[in-house]
Amino acid sequence: MAATELSSAALLGIVYYALCSSIMLVINKVTISLIPLPGLVFCIQFLTTFLAIVVGKASGLLKVDDLTMNKTKQFAPYVVAFVLSIYCNGKVLQYCNVETLITFRACSPLAVSILDWVFLGREFPALRSMLALIGVVIGAVGYVLCDSEFQLRGVSAYGWVSLYLVVIIFEMTYAKHMVSSVKFDSVIWGSVLYTNALAAGPMMMLGFGSGELSQVSEVSWSVGGLAMLVLCSVLGICMNWSGWNCRSQISAAAYTLLGVACKLISVLLNVLIWDKHASALGIFWLIVCLLSSIFYRQAP
């Protein structure tokens, strides 16, 4: 993504999204470690963002589209993928370290760039970009081979994260289509409103269906855990806006790759705050993924 090819607004959007995304992943990991109920945690995040938008609209601070049946139908397929990806994200954070999630997500731009070309009218990635994406995949394979969970349990160790990868590829491609085809008076806040309003119910059902309701009484509701829940819910508002704002200004593949590259900050934060992280060799291969992503250039 060459800086000279992007407007100042796009660059600011990228920086804001990178900051929010990098911090949010680690905050979610800490929150779910303290409150191991990912469905409940994410449902509260969705409701917080939804209520914040409703209050902002009612007070005249935000210009937001009304909820209509026509737009709801258009958004429904994306919301299904979004809810599944967020729930799988939570399950991965519950059972694996942050680096495992980042490494698998690093493989998604290769598929998204091809889907960009096939369905969204982008040109096929140039040789430099393809080599960058292949470098990302090589780094991911290196990480998997030295991961202790893979050595102990084989492919079965990656059930949730593999499902997450499949869903995120569809979500990242379809989301770009949503921004460009659905007509909003306020594209960013309208997209945020529909995403969170429609996602809260399905996420709650996923949580209940996985037995989280019966586990609520078993959770140790500490002050620290509740504080992290509040923090991740507030940060969720920033993450939602920055994500849709960034999506609207760059390609789906570039957006996906940006989400991978900015996770370098997540890795550093994760290593600094506790010992629940990958080995030194695993982090090396993860850095190979992230450095490879630097050489990717957005296709016209």
Side-chain angles (χ1 to χ4, degrees), residues 6-88:
L6 295 173
S7 67
S8 58
L11 287 173
L12 287 174
I14 287 171
V15 171
Y16 186 40
Y17 170 73
L19 180 63
C20 293
S21 178
S22 301
I23 296 174
M24 192 70 184
L25 178 59
V26 178
I27 295 298
N28 278 339
K29 172 64 178 177
V30 176
T31 303
I32 292 174
S33 295
L34 296 172
I35 306 175
L37 304 170
L40 175 63
V41 169
F42 290 129
C43 185
I44 291 175
Q45 285 186 16
F46 296 157
L47 289 174
T48 299
T49 300
F50 172 69
L51 291 175
I53 295 174
V54 170
V55 172
K57 181 179 181 180
S59 62
L61 295 175
L62 299 176
K63 180 182 179 181
V64 188
D65 297 71
D66 294 325
L67 289 169
T68 66
M69 182 58 68
N70 184 47
K71 288 189 178 74
T72 297
K73 290 178 180 178
Q74 289 179 285
F75 247 77
Y78 167 70
V79 169
V80 171
F82 174 75
V83 170
L84 286 175
S85 69
I86 294 296
Y87 184 75
C88 291

Side-chain angles (χ1 to χ4, degrees), residues 112-146:
V112 172
S113 64
I114 295 174
L115 293 177
D116 250 357
W117 170 59
V118 174
F119 296 108
L120 300 183
R122 290 275 178 180
E123 291 184 8
F124 192 78
L127 178 61
R128 166 178 165 168
S129 296
M130 286 304 299
L131 290 176
L133 294 173
I134 291 171
V136 168
V137 174
I138 290 173
V141 172
Y143 176 89
V144 167
L145 294 178
C146 69

